[in-house]
Amino acid sequence: MKVPLLDLHTQYKPILNDIKDEMEKVFITHAYKLGPQVKEFEEKIQQYCKIKHAIGCASGTDALILALIALDIGDGDEVITIPFTFFATAGTIHRVGARPTFVDVKSDTFNIDPDKIEKAITPRTKAIIVVHLFGQPAEMDIIINIAQKYNLKVIEDNAQGIGAEYDGKVAGTFGDIGTLSFFPSKNLGAMGDGGMCLTDNDELSAKLFQLRVHGENPQYYHKWVGLNSRLDTIQAAVLLVKLRSLENWSEARRRNAEYYYKNINDIPQIKLPVIHKKAKTIFNQFTLVVERRDELLKYLHSRDIGCAVYYPRPLHLQECFSYLNYKEGDFPVAEELTNKVISIPVFSEITREQQDYVIKTIKEFYI
Ligand SMILES: Cc1ncc(COP(=O)(O)O)c(C=O)c1O
């Protein structure tokens, strides 16, 4: 049996004709640049995320850059984030000229440890980029309180958590700006790249709409220096179709996760992901903390089971950030996780037989 980490073929099959129809509309009108599908998709995401404004852009990375620029973050500013996340979260802070300041994560939820944030705040700290890692929202009530106390902006990097909730409120809608990624492996993935900023703030929204087209308004007049970062109409057409299934797909992921919780609970070398009592996750990844991780990874691959390490190297130890002068041991939880995590298939279309094979193979390895 073969079990991929993600099976986009199975996902696309039942919706491929709808996608072709939506795409054809774009080909007929040639409205490739910010065509009507982009606006329609932005409106649909506003409703889905219960937010006032949604601004499409070219990727989740650009969404973070646009958010940072919109909040006037740049030279001399410090931005707090976590070292255990995808590179873009910290790379974008550097890219706008600010300095990433890392705060360790919690060993159970993998999200930022709110108890460690205040110690990292200095007079230069301007914002926190909170990451909702693997689809589970961070503890936003505590984080927003800290941000308010120190007058910090909050950006939520919700690339992995579209539709997730914390205390009944949608992830990405707590802070000043939330960002989304439509990278193909996300719960809502495009057929290429795409991203989005979310905000309830009218002024920030207007600025973000301008920033994605070089800060231009009216044409050839520039109040700010922005980017060329539009959401392609073709991608918006794909995403409009896929959005109709998103809730079902995320629900299926939760059911699949539940099956793992029931059936991998008796192996002492494995810790299952912990979901905070106020959080509703969308399980973009199902990530175990295990002993002998690298051996397990090889063993599963040798038995045709897709699995991956997100992430094998913490960001504070990346070569490009050596100028920040962090060293090994600075963020022990993140460092340990990079040596012990492994993500196993939880995609919506996985069958029970495939899950049974994953479970059996993992048990075989440890027993
Ligand atoms: C946590 C996180 N932040 C940012 C990004 C960047 O998104 P994109 O790949 O769309 O640029 C990703 C996705 O890959 C991500 O997982």
Side-chain angles (χ1 to χ4, degrees), residues 63-264:
L64 286 168
I65 293 178
L66 290 166
L68 287 159
I69 300 174
L71 293 168
D72 294 320
I73 292 164
D75 279 351
D77 296 328
E78 292 175 5
V79 179
I80 288 173
T81 194
I82 52 172
F84 184 63
T85 172
F86 181 64
F87 178 76
T89 314
T92 50
I93 297 171
H94 169 101
R95 191 40 59 227
V96 299
R99 184 184 171 91
T101 301
F102 294 112
V103 165
D104 214 348
V105 293
K106 292 174 81 164
S107 58
D108 52 0
T109 62
F110 316 137
N111 277 327
I112 193 164
D113 187 338
D115 290 344
K116 296 184 179 153
I117 294 176
E118 287 193 78
K119 247 174 74 184
I121 295 171
T122 74
R124 288 170 175 253
T125 309
K126 192 111 183 249
I128 307 175
I129 300 188
V130 184
V131 184
H132 303 314
L133 204 69
F134 303 144
Q136 170 172 206
E139 290 161 79
M140 291 313 296
D141 42 0
I142 310 175
I143 295 163
I144 293 289
N145 276 339
I146 297 170
Q148 281 170 350
K149 184 171 159 193
Y150 292 91
N151 199 21
L152 306 178
K153 303 290 184 194
V154 174
I155 296 171
E156 293 172 75
D157 180 349
N158 196 28
Q160 302 182 5
I162 186 167
E165 290 177 14
Y166 184 81
D167 219 0
K169 188 171 158 69
V170 183
T173 68
F174 288 81
D176 296 277
I177 300 174
T179 63
L180 300 173
S181 162
F182 305 117
F183 183 78
S185 68
K186 305 301 191 228
N187 285 33
L188 181 62
M191 286 177 154
D193 283 304
M196 195 162 269
C197 290
L198 309 174
T199 185
D200 272 324
N201 182 309
D202 297 344
E203 247 174 75
L204 282 176
S205 165
K207 191 169 178 184
L208 286 162
F209 274 117
Q210 286 185 39
L211 286 173
R212 77 174 174 185
V213 286
H214 292 297
E216 180 182 76
N217 187 36
Q219 198 176 21
Y220 302 125
Y221 287 80
H222 301 262
K223 186 166 172 186
W224 298 291
V225 179
L227 307 175
N228 171 16
S229 183
R230 290 173 278 250
L231 177 64
D232 275 343
T233 313
I234 291 280
Q235 298 303 343
V238 173
L239 290 163
L240 270 172
V241 175
K242 291 188 71 180
L243 182 59
R244 296 177 205 144
S245 305
L246 177 61
E247 206 44 42
N248 286 341
W249 289 335
S250 292
E251 197 48 53
R253 281 171 181 265
R254 281 190 285 269
R255 278 198 306 274
N256 299 337
E258 206 47 52
Y259 196 68
Y260 284 138
Y261 280 112
K262 273 198 195 122
N263 292 286
I264 320 184

